[in-house]
Amino acid sequence: MKKCLLIFVLIILTGNAFTQNDNLKSHYLKMFRNAMSYNDPDAAINALHGYIAIDSNVAYKDTLSLLYFVRKSYYSALILAEEVTKTDKSNVEAYARAAECYQQLGDFKTAVNYFEQISAATKNPYHYYQLAVSQYSLKRIAECETNCRKVLSDTNSSKIGVTFNNGDGTEQLVPVSAAALNLSGVLQMEAKNYVEATKLFKQATAIFPNFTGALQNIKVCEEKTAKPPQPKPPATKPKT
């Protein structure tokens, strides 16, 4: 009799625990939705942490990783993205996010390894561009040039945006085609081919006229190719 009573109590307690967990999950999801509607990413992150503490749902881990990435908390975003890809190997976006995190954290070798696999699978000009950026950082110039050309050969590359750091603390969302032309121009500029570099930078600004980085690079090239002022001939006194 006592044994049956204990089993009955256990069933009731287990049922109550499930009910409490479901209520908490609903509570955290409501917090998350409210935070997103009020544009409060920090509160949204906290709400998702509450949720996955109860239910380690891979979809919500992926969302949490994305929120950390947007907040530029790249290490946290990376840890979660790696967890997601181990569970869901078909999640290419999480894998690409992990690659960008490695890139932002300065581990360009790992970023290249990731982006090589991703770009081979997706053929996405955005991924080819990010691969080129990491290769440039490793001074793998020929491969960088090859992947810039792959970006430019894709007719969709002007419709896809990439966040470009202008080097002065500001960022712009520019077409990935313009970013690839700018990177190709940088390669020519570093090889001191300033005329060819200027052509590429001007092609980039033709696609995106307000491209700060490319405009700055045009100015540098013009300074490099400007002819030095010619000295004036010495004044001669009139003969008397």
Side-chain angles (χ1 to χ4, degrees):
M1 182 68 180
K2 288 182 178 179
K3 185 176 181 181
C4 290
L5 181 61
L6 287 172
I7 293 171
F8 181 68
V9 171
L10 182 61
I11 290 170
I12 292 173
L13 290 174
T14 303
N16 287 339
F18 280 126
T19 302
Q20 288 175 356
N21 281 349
D22 287 342
N23 288 339
L24 276 172
K25 287 194 288 185
S26 296
H27 169 72
Y28 285 123
L29 286 179
K30 186 175 181 180
M31 282 180 61
F32 169 72
R33 293 187 187 105
N34 285 343
M36 293 300 289
S37 66
Y38 295 133
N39 193 29
D40 188 344
D42 292 329
I45 287 169
N46 289 334
L48 286 182
H49 270 296
Y51 186 95
I52 65 174
I54 301 166
D55 183 350
S56 186
N57 186 305
V58 68
Y60 289 114
K61 282 188 175 182
D62 193 27
T63 303
L64 183 56
S65 171
L66 180 58
L67 284 173
Y68 272 127
F69 186 82
V70 171
R71 298 291 284 169
K72 299 185 179 182
S73 298
Y74 297 116
Y75 191 68
S76 298
L78 173 61
I79 294 171
L80 283 155
E82 295 276 35
E83 286 186 19
V84 170
T85 54
K86 286 177 183 177
T87 305
D88 181 7
K89 297 187 184 301
S90 65
N91 193 328
V92 177
E93 290 303 317
Y95 198 58
R97 192 181 315 122
E100 286 198 64
C101 287
Y102 279 117
Q103 188 182 74
Q104 293 292 337
L105 293 168
D107 186 351
F108 300 109
K109 186 175 181 180
T110 303
V112 164
N113 291 337
Y114 274 47
F115 276 125
E116 283 177 339
Q117 296 176 62
I118 295 162
S119 59
T122 66
K123 310 299 183 186
N124 189 318
Y126 179 89
H127 296 147
Y128 281 126
Y129 173 73
Q130 295 296 357
L131 173 57
V133 169
S134 290
Q135 288 168 333
Y136 170 75
S137 298
L138 294 172
K139 300 304 177 186
R140 291 164 59 169
I141 303 304
E143 293 167 286
C144 177
E145 288 178 327
T146 297
N147 285 301
C148 283
R149 285 195 292 271
K150 286 181 181 178
V151 174
L152 297 170
S153 67
D154 192 315
T155 54
N156 291 317
S157 61
S158 295
K159 303 172 187 175
I160 298 170
V162 61
T163 301
F164 188 90
N165 190 323
N166 291 315
D168 58 0
T170 62
E171 291 180 338
Q172 286 180 298
L173 186 65
V174 305
V176 72
S177 55
L181 283 164
N182 181 73
L183 180 53
S184 298
V186 168
L187 296 177
Q188 293 297 323
M189 187 165 63
E190 291 186 351
K192 298 184 179 181
N193 298 326
Y194 299 116
V195 174
E196 183 61 29
T198 301
K199 289 179 184 177
L200 291 164
F201 294 138
K202 286 183 176 180
Q203 287 176 38
T205 56
I207 295 170
F208 189 69
N210 295 323
F211 193 168
T212 302
L215 291 169
Q216 291 171 342
N217 288 333
I218 290 171
K219 187 177 179 181
V220 171
C221 288
E222 288 174 346
E223 289 172 354
K224 293 288 185 181
T225 55
K227 293 181 179 180
Q230 296 297 318
K232 292 181 179 179
T236 55
K237 293 181 179 180
K239 293 181 181 180
T240 56

